[in-house]
Each structure stands twice: as structure tokens, then as C-alpha cells.
């Protein structure tokens, strides 16, 4: 039972425009949410995170929005650049007994930025 | 600045063979994790460790064993490889801290079981 869902497997956007990636979750115990970026033949790299006590976090061109009531978060990339073409994973963590800090991942969204 | 290093990068096995995947991290991290990535399914947690000498099961542990004899190393073993274990395997490590501390990933091991 997948607790983190990315329902759009792919997204194509023109260079300079906004990319919006969406993520839904089912577990109300999740208290941290992270976005990772992955290039082919490389491991995922951390991009940005947000705590459940916030509704927005911004880092340069990347902004993550969290809507707890809807169990939904989104990643905005403005402006999109060719180097942003990659697979983006949404991940969530629940503060479990023992502080294991396990992550549940979505299936990923492949972003292609067109020149 | 190596970070998380996985060996080997590629391997082809025959059904029934055994092998060990090695993960090494040089960041003195307490937590280490093994994931597998399959098309359309994201990353799924196989086993993890919260410190030297400890291991625990993740979401998909069957057919795998792990050991963490040294803090910097986390080994993933396949005792009798099956075609269903064909996948890309990622190791990750994480330091102490609150939940927004990110996990750092290696570049993966692509494993094919024939």
C-alpha cells in the first residue's frame, strides 16, 4: 500500500516557465516531507524539505508547498532550466519509536525541460 | 569527498547464486539504509540500521540479509538470487537530527539475475 503517491509520471515544460510537481500522501503521521532529484546512472540527491508545521519553504528557484488538510504537497521550480531535466521523488518521514527516520517514496515524476 | 560509495556498480548473476553488495560512507553517519528501485515503484526500503551492530527490516526484506559490523559499512547479501531481485539497489546514510535531515545516497548497483 503506497503511502506517498506521485500521480503524474512525466512533465514537459518549456525553458523559463514554471514546473509544478504534485505529491499526495495518506499517512497523517508524516511530519517531514522531502524532495529528491535524480539524474540517470546517479543516486538521488536532496533538493528541499518541509516540516509539517509549515506550509511553505523556499530555496532559490525551488519552493515546496504543503496542504495538510488535503494531504498534498507540491514543488514549484521557477524558472525551469535545462539542467532541471531529471526524475523528482517525493518522500515522507514519520517520527516513529526508536527514531528510525525511515522514508516512504513516491514513484517519481520525470521532468523534461524543452529549449 | 566520497560520501556514500557502493560496490560493485554492475553485476550479472545466475539464479541461485549468492553475492554481497557493499556500501561504505565516510560521513560518520549513524543511520544506513538499503533500497531497491523498480520501474514505476519508486524506492522501497529493504533493510536499515540505526547504528553499528544493529539492523532492522524494511518494507521488502524477504530474500535479503544485512550486516553492520562497522559503523561505516553496511552489507546487503543475497543468499540465493532470484530473477525477481533484478533491480537497481541504492544505499543511503543519514546523520543524527530531526526528520528533515536528508539521507545521502550512493550511485547505485545495477543487478541482473538471469
Amino acid at each position: 500500500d503506497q503511502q506517498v503517491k506521485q500521480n503524474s509520471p512525466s512533465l514537459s515544460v518549456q525553458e523559463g516557465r514554471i514546473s509544478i510537481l504534485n505529491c499526495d500522501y495518506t499517512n497523517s503521521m508524516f511530519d517531514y516531507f522531502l524532495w529528491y532529484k535524480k539524474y540517470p546512472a546517479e543516486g538521488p540527491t536532496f533538493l528541499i524539505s518541509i516540516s509539517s508545521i509549515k506550509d511553505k519553504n523556499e530555496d532559490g528557484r525551488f519552493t515546496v508547498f504543503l496542504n495538510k488538510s488535503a494531504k498534498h504537497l507540491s514543488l514549484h521550480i521557477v524558472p525551469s532550466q535545462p539542467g532541471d531535466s531529471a526524475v523528482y521523488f517525493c518522500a515522507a518521514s514519520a517520527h516513529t519509536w526508536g527514531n528510525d527516520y525511515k522514508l516512504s517514496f513516491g514513484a517519481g515524476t520525470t521532468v523534461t525541460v524543452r529549449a | 569527498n566520497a560520501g556514500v560509495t557502493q560496490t560493485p556498480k554492475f553485476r550479472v548473476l545466475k539464479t541461485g547464486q549468492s553475492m554481497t553488495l557493499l556500501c561504505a560512507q565516510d560521513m560518520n553517519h549513524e543511520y544506513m539504509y538499503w533500497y531497491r528501485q523498480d520501474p514505476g515503484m519508486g524506492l522501497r526500503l529493504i533493510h536499515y540500521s540505526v547504528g553499528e551492530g544493529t539492523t532492522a527490516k524494511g518494507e521488502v526484506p524477504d530474500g535479503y540479509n544485512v550486516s553492520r559490523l562497522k559503523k561505516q559499512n553496511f552489507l546487503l547479501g543475497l543468499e540465493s538470487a532470484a530473477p525477481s531481485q533484478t533491480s537497481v539497489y541504492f544505499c543511503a546514510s543519514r546523520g543524527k537530527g530531526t526528520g528533515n535531515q536528508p539521507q545521502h545516497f550512493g550511485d547505485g548497483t545495477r543487478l541482473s539475475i538471469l
Side-chain angles (χ1 to χ4, degrees):
Chain A
D1 181 28
Q2 202 162 11
Q3 300 184 71
V4 178
K5 297 181 181 179
Q6 295 176 257
N7 293 318
S8 297
S10 62
L11 173 69
S12 181
V13 63
Q14 194 165 11
E15 182 178 0
R17 307 296 288 266
I18 184 171
S19 294
I20 299 177
L21 290 77
N22 294 304
C23 179
D24 297 296
Y25 62 95
T26 57
N27 188 344
S28 58
M29 298 299 292
F30 286 145
D31 50 8
Y32 285 102
F33 303 89
L34 303 88
W35 286 93
Y36 282 83
K37 177 180 181 178
K38 184 184 179 306
Y39 293 118
E42 294 184 9
T45 56
F46 171 71
L47 193 57
I48 191 170
S49 65
I50 188 168
S51 164
S52 61
I53 63 173
K54 296 186 176 181
D55 56 15
K56 177 182 175 181
N57 189 27
E58 192 172 355
D59 184 2
R61 296 186 297 113
F62 303 92
T63 302
V64 56
F65 296 92
L66 175 62
N67 183 335
K68 283 187 65 178
S69 61
K71 293 191 177 66
H72 177 84
L73 64 156
S74 61
L75 174 68
H76 292 208
I77 307 173
V78 184
S80 299
Q81 299 175 352
D84 296 332
S85 295
V87 178
Y88 290 79
F89 290 101
C90 174
S93 171
H95 184 91
T96 59
W97 183 84
N99 296 330
D100 295 352
Y101 296 114
K102 297 181 289 185
L103 288 177
S104 294
F105 283 84
T109 297
T110 300
V111 172
T112 303
V113 180
R114 311 185 310 271
Chain B
N1 190 11
V4 179
T5 304
Q6 293 183 234
T7 52
K9 295 189 184 303
F10 304 97
R11 186 73 183 267
V12 178
L13 290 178
K14 294 182 179 179
T15 298
Q17 287 185 317
S18 64
M19 79 160 296
T20 301
L21 281 66
L22 172 64
C23 177
Q25 53 95 2
D26 61 2
M27 296 173 283
N28 200 35
H29 282 170
E30 294 292 330
Y31 304 91
M32 296 188 75
Y33 309 83
W34 275 108
Y35 295 89
R36 59 178 289 172
Q37 185 194 7
D38 301 294
M41 301 191 74
L43 283 81
R44 292 182 293 168
L45 184 63
I46 304 171
H47 286 281
Y48 64 100
S49 168
V50 300
E52 180 179 326
T54 72
T55 63
K57 294 180 180 180
E59 182 185 357
V60 287
D62 294 343
Y64 305 94
N65 56 76
V66 287
S67 64
R68 184 120 181 252
L69 299 179
K70 294 182 178 181
K71 185 177 184 179
Q72 64 268 34
N73 296 336
F74 196 28
L75 279 62
L76 178 70
L78 286 73
E79 289 188 348
S80 179
S84 61
Q85 294 177 304
T86 293
S87 187
V88 181
Y89 292 85
F90 288 100
C91 175
S93 72
R94 179 191 186 278
K96 291 182 179 179
T98 55
N100 65 343
Q101 274 253 5
Q103 293 180 14
H104 301 263
F105 285 82
D107 284 339
T109 295
R110 186 174 295 275
L111 186 60
S112 293
I113 315 296
L114 304 179

